[in-house]
């Protein structure tokens, strides 16, 4: 009795807060059943708590989905009873779960179609719906010929065509019947080790007949005419469901292809609501249609485009010198208290202007007695300037957008600014009140506006039709009493074709301003050293750089197998007749990578968001590094060390008739990714044998591409490059080795006349070539 009295209050003491904490813990462990029960009990205790209700409804769906997934796994493992229990539990948790109800119906249908052990196949009462499904399942598919023997056939006969067909049928264990209207003729057959289908095809071609299966072991032979085929060909109906037609136009294109490639008599009907195509045709025509749909109904490729907009503002200001007084004044003191004279002077350089005003008390006698004590001079203060300011601003905008192949995608990040476009007056009337002047406005998108249409080619090249606009409100102006915003914008619009992962600078804008102003006394302000005492020098250097960078990445590609690209035999111009191989080539099938990945139904929006944020941060970091690399490539050449290409030996002595090797070395390489150059030599003395790559560009294991072309006149073009998307190399080392054959005696030169260098962003770097002297001795 004591234990019971203690247990009851303990159970009641379990508060809603405790249940909530237990539910959160269970959810974090993936135990959605327990989490749902805890939140359900918490919500029952506090029905007005919206947080409990939200958690309860969310976990209701997740717990039911978890049971449905477990049931599917159990049914796939051959345990329908346990699977049915899981489906029932899911439906108990969430009665609105239609997937659970459908799985219950499917599992019960499978159990009803399989008789219990020890029971016969006796009839039992079933519902009309089940009987209807059974009737549909009883409809047979087109007949497949199943010969008894598949042994190769060897036949050498000169007989009537009916006799030869009968002989082939007996060899394969088939019955052969003929059309009553068929008049056979004598033919000669000579074939060794051919399959049954090839034998029937050969004899049919010689006899002018065609055959069709009537049952699994019987074929029917008739004269091969258009009328007979139309009368005897069996037609079948099949529904093809399109899996990748996202728009009405996609399904229309597939339907149009079928109607143009198949016979006009074939019935083809598109059902847009079901994304399906219904056809009535012969079995070969249906199989050809399946092949066409399999080739055309492909998932479109998708591309993620990283757009980096990098703007760098540099402003350096220096103000040095002394600013002299811009004005001074002279005043005449009163004379004897009865007269006064004032004089003022102002000057902007060294020229003085004077104006005089005389009072009535001033006489000529007093003017003659003027001295220095009668004048007062006022001079403004001079200013010493010693100012240096240096500002460096970097702005990085890195939006990214995902688009489907051939579909337009837009991204707008910013705000809308109203702009007045016109005005009108409503006027006045005796019965209405004047509304005054009405102004019409439209809104401009200000910020980052991206418009991209990608096209993914079969060779993984990506064509981009892109428009990138970066705009800001830089000020305002008043026009006819209306204040209008001033929009500064940078727009680039073009079409480019890139490799996957290849960065491309759409536009690089460089604005450089160099202002210098000097103010002071003429003459003295221009003398060295003294000019800092009698003048002020103001120097300002401003630089503004803008880079638009695009980097496309294929995140889903259209995978095509040889099954899609190979040619197939479709028969003659009059009739479609497919030829089948007895053993299909397994190498033509799509790779296992085409299988759909399992669906993670336990993924929540919060966990997906966290994973997406982590991925976006990493992509932003990568795009920022690529944008910085592109910006560094735009810096003045003076900041980049010049790449030097030189021969390992400046002077070489070689005998005529022997081989000569000359190595080209590179120095001062910084992020070096490719080197195109042109080498000149005298074909009268030397003959180019080969060009081999050095180890500089491939020192980290990357594959290096080397292409050279000799025009036979002493000019050889050489291009050596690293793979696209890889970083460049630094330092120095051998680039390539040229092998020559010495032809005749004399002195000649080998020169690198056109040297260039490219970094990993495919931007040009300054490069310098050299030459070597070759002494050829007899």
């Amino acid at each position: 009795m004591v234990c019971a009295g203690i247990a009851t209050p303990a159970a009641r003491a379990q508060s809603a807060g405790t249940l909530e904490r237990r539910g959160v813990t269970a959810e974090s462990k993936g135990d959605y059943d327990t989490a749902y029960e805890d939140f359900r009990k918490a919500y029952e205790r506090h029905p007005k708590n919206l947080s409990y209700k939200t958690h309860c409804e969310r976990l209701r769906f997740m717990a039911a989905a978890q049971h449905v997934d477990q049931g599917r796994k159990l049914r796939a493992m051959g345990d329908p009873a346990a699977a049915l229990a899981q489906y029932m539990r899911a439906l108990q948790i969430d009665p609105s779960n239609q997937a659970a109800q459908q799985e219950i119906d499917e599992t019960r249908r499978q159990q009803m179609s399989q008789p219990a052990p020890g029971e016969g196949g006796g009839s039992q009462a079933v519902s009309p719906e089940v009987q209807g499904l059974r009737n549909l399942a009883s409809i047979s598919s087109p007949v497949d010929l199943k010969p008894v023997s598949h042994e190769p056939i060897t036949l050498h006969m000169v007989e009537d065509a009916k006799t030869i067909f009968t002989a082939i049928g007996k060899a394969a264990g088939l019955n052969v019947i003929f059309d009553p209207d068929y008049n056979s003729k004598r033919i000669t057959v000579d074939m060794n080790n051919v399959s049954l289908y090839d034998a029937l095809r050969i004899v049919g071609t010689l006899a002018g007949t065609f055959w069709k299966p009537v049952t699994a072991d019987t074929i029917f032979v008739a004269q091969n005419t258009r009328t007979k085929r139309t009368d005897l060909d069996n037609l079948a109906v099949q529904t093809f469901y399109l899996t990748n037609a996202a728009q009405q136009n996609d399904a229309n294109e597939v339907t149009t292809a079928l109607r143009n490639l198949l016979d006009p008599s074939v019935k083809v009907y598109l059902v847009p609501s079901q994304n399906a195509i219904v056809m009535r045709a012969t079995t070969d025509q249906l199989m050809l249609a399946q092949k066409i749909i399999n080739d055309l109904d492909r998932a479109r490729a998708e591309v993620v485009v990283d757009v980096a907009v990098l703007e760098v503002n540099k402003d350096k200001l220096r103000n040095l010198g002394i600013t002299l007084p811009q004005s001074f004044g002279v005043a005449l003191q009163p004379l004897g208290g009865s007269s006064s004279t004032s004089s003022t002077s102002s000057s902007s350089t060294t020229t003085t202007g004077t104006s005089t005003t005389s009072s009535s008390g001033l006489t000529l006698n007093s003017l003659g007695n003027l001295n220095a004590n009668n004048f007062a001079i006022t001079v403004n203060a001079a200013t010493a300037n010693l100012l240096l300011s240096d500002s460096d601003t970097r702005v990085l905008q890195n939006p990214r957008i995902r688009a489907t192949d051939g579909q337009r995608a837009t991204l707008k990040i910013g705000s809308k600014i109203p702009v007045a476009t016109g005005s009108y007056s409503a006027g006045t009337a005796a019965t209405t009140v004047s509304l005054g002047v009405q102004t019409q406005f439209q809104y401009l998108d200000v910020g980052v506006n991206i418009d991209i249409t990608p096209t993914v080619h079969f060779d993984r090249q990506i064509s981009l039709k892109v428009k990138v606009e970066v705009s800001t409100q830089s000020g305002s102006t008043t026009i006819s009493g209306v204040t209008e915003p001033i929009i500064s914008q940078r727009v680039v619009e073009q079409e480019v074709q890139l490799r996957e992962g290849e960065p491309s600078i759409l536009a690089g804008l460089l604005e450089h301003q160099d202002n210098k102003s000097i103010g002071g006394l003429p003459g003295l302000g221009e003398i060295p050293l003294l000019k800092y005492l009698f003048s002020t020098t103001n120097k300002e250097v401003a630089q503004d750089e803008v880079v638009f960078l695009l980097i496309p990445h294929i995140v889903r590609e259209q995978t095509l197998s040889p099954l899609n690209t190979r040619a197939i035999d479709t028969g003659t111009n009059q009739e479609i007749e497919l030829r089948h191989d007895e053993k299909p080539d397994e190498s033509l099938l799509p790779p296992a990578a085409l299988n759909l990945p399992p669906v993670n139904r336990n993924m929540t929006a919060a966990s997906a968001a966290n994973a997406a944020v982590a991925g976006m941060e990493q992509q932003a970091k990568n795009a920022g590094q690529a944008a910085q690399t592109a910006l560094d490539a735009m810096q003045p050449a003076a900041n980049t060390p010049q790449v030097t290409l030189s021969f390992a030996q400046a002077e070489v002595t070689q005998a005529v008739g022997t081989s000569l090797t000359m190595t080209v070395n590179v120095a001062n390489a910084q992020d070096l990714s490719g080197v195109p150059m042109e080498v000149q030599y005298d074909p009268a003395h030397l003959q180019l044998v080969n060009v081999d790559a050095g180890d500089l560009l491939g020192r980290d294991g990357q594959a290096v591409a080397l292409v050279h072309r000799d025009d036979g006149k002493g000019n050889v073009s050489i291009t050596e490059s690293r793979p696209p998307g890889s970083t460049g190399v630094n330092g120095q080392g051998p680039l390539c080795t040229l092998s020559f054959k010495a032809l005749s005696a004399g002195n000649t030169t080998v020169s690198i006349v056109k040297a260039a260098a490219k970094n990993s962003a495919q931007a040009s770097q300054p490069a310098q070539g050299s030459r070597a002297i070759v002494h050829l001795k007899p």
Side-chain angles (χ1 to χ4, degrees), residues 298 559-564 586-596:
R298 313 294 298 178
T559 305
L560 298 177
S561 67
L563 193 65
N564 304 119
E586 297 293 336
S587 63
L588 298 177
L589 301 179
L594 291 179
N595 294 335
L596 294 177

Side-chain angles (χ1 to χ4, degrees), residues 333-346:
Q333 299 295 331
L335 299 177
S338 60
S339 64
S340 64
T341 303
S342 64
S343 174
T344 61
S345 174
S346 62

Side-chain angles (χ1 to χ4, degrees), residues 76-114:
M77 295 171 60
D79 192 353
L84 190 61
Q86 291 290 337
Y87 299 144
M88 296 295 290
R89 174 57 179 162
L91 200 62
Q92 180 183 4
I93 295 174
D94 185 6
S96 63
N97 194 314
Q98 294 296 322
Q101 185 62 53
Q102 292 173 354
E103 295 293 347
I104 291 173
D105 296 339
E106 177 65 19
T107 305
R108 287 177 174 173
R109 184 190 65 79
Q110 293 181 0
Q111 289 178 335
M112 293 178 61
S113 62
Q114 298 177 356

Side-chain angles (χ1 to χ4, degrees), residues 93-403:
I93 295 174
D94 185 6
S96 63
N97 194 314
Q98 294 296 322
Q101 185 62 53
Q102 292 173 354
E103 295 293 347
I104 291 173
D105 296 339
E106 177 65 19
T107 305
R108 287 177 174 173
R109 184 190 65 79
Q110 293 181 0
Q111 289 178 335
M112 293 178 61
S113 62
Q114 298 177 356
E119 295 183 1
S123 61
Q124 60 182 14
V126 295
S127 64
E129 291 80 6
V130 174
Q131 184 61 41
L133 294 175
R134 287 181 175 178
N135 293 336
L136 291 178
S138 66
I139 300 177
S140 299
S141 58
V143 177
D144 289 333
L145 192 63
K146 297 178 180 179
V148 176
S149 173
H150 291 278
E151 294 294 328
I153 297 175
T154 299
L155 195 62
H156 304 280
M157 297 180 65
V158 182
E159 291 289 345
D160 187 83
K162 291 184 177 180
T163 304
I164 297 177
F165 271 116
T166 303
I168 295 175
K170 288 182 178 180
L174 298 177
N175 300 318
V176 182
I177 58 178
F178 298 92
D179 181 28
D181 297 334
Y182 171 56
N183 297 319
S184 63
K185 60 181 180 180
R186 192 179 182 86
I187 59 175
T188 301
V189 176
D190 189 1
M191 51 189 178
N192 295 314
N193 294 326
V194 298
S195 65
L196 170 64
Y197 294 97
D198 287 342
L200 293 175
R201 180 186 293 271
I202 292 172
V203 176
T205 303
L206 295 175
T209 61
F210 74 98
W211 64 274
K212 51 172 290 188
V214 179
T215 63
D217 58 354
T218 304
I219 62 174
F220 180 81
V221 180
Q223 191 72 32
N224 189 9
T225 62
R226 184 74 174 182
T227 303
K228 279 295 180 182
R229 280 192 173 271
T230 304
D231 294 340
L232 298 177
D233 273 343
N234 292 331
L235 301 182
V237 175
Q238 187 172 356
T239 302
F240 303 95
Y241 289 93
L242 305 179
T243 58
N244 298 286
Q247 303 179 24
Q248 177 70 31
N249 188 48
D250 299 338
N252 290 339
E253 290 178 351
V254 177
T255 306
T256 302
L258 293 175
R259 288 172 177 167
N260 290 334
L261 292 175
L262 300 179
D263 190 270
S265 61
V266 175
K267 306 297 183 182
V268 182
Y269 183 72
L270 173 65
V271 185
S273 62
Q274 300 296 323
N275 229 6
I277 297 176
V278 182
M279 291 185 58
R280 184 171 185 264
T282 64
T283 54
D284 282 351
Q285 290 172 339
L286 291 177
M287 191 169 296
L288 179 59
Q290 178 68 68
K291 199 271 181 192
I292 296 172
I293 293 175
N294 187 48
D295 294 342
L296 299 182
D297 185 26
R298 313 294 298 178
R300 291 194 177 188
E302 293 187 10
V303 180
V304 169
V305 182
D306 282 337
V307 183
V309 182
L310 183 61
E311 181 174 1
V312 178
N313 294 320
K314 296 181 179 180
D315 193 350
K316 188 174 183 179
L317 175 65
R318 186 182 67 181
N319 192 346
L320 183 63
I322 297 177
T323 303
L324 297 176
Q326 300 298 313
S327 65
F328 64 91
V330 178
L332 180 62
Q333 299 295 331
L335 299 177
S338 60
S339 64
S340 64
T341 303
S342 64
S343 174
T344 61
S345 174
S346 62
S347 173
S348 60
T349 55
T350 58
T351 304
T352 303
T354 305
S355 61
T356 304
T357 303
S358 300
S359 64
S360 59
L362 185 62
T363 62
L364 293 175
N365 184 39
S366 62
L367 290 175
N369 295 321
L370 292 175
N371 54 36
N373 295 326
N374 298 113
F375 294 93
I377 300 177
T378 303
V379 181
N380 294 337
T383 304
N385 299 317
L386 187 61
L387 176 64
L388 177 64
S389 64
D390 190 355
S391 62
D392 190 349
T393 304
R394 292 173 178 260
V395 178
L396 174 64
Q397 294 172 321
N398 181 215
R400 56 187 51 85
I401 185 170
R402 180 166 178 166

Side-chain angles (χ1 to χ4, degrees), residues 16 19 37-54 56-57 60:
L19 292 170
E37 290 297 333
D38 289 336
F39 277 109
R40 183 182 61 81
K41 294 176 181 178
Y43 176 59
E44 289 177 353
R45 284 172 171 75
H46 294 279
K48 296 183 179 180
N49 192 312
L50 295 180
S51 176
Y52 295 161
K53 181 179 181 181
T54 303
C56 182
E57 293 299 331
R60 182 196 304 272

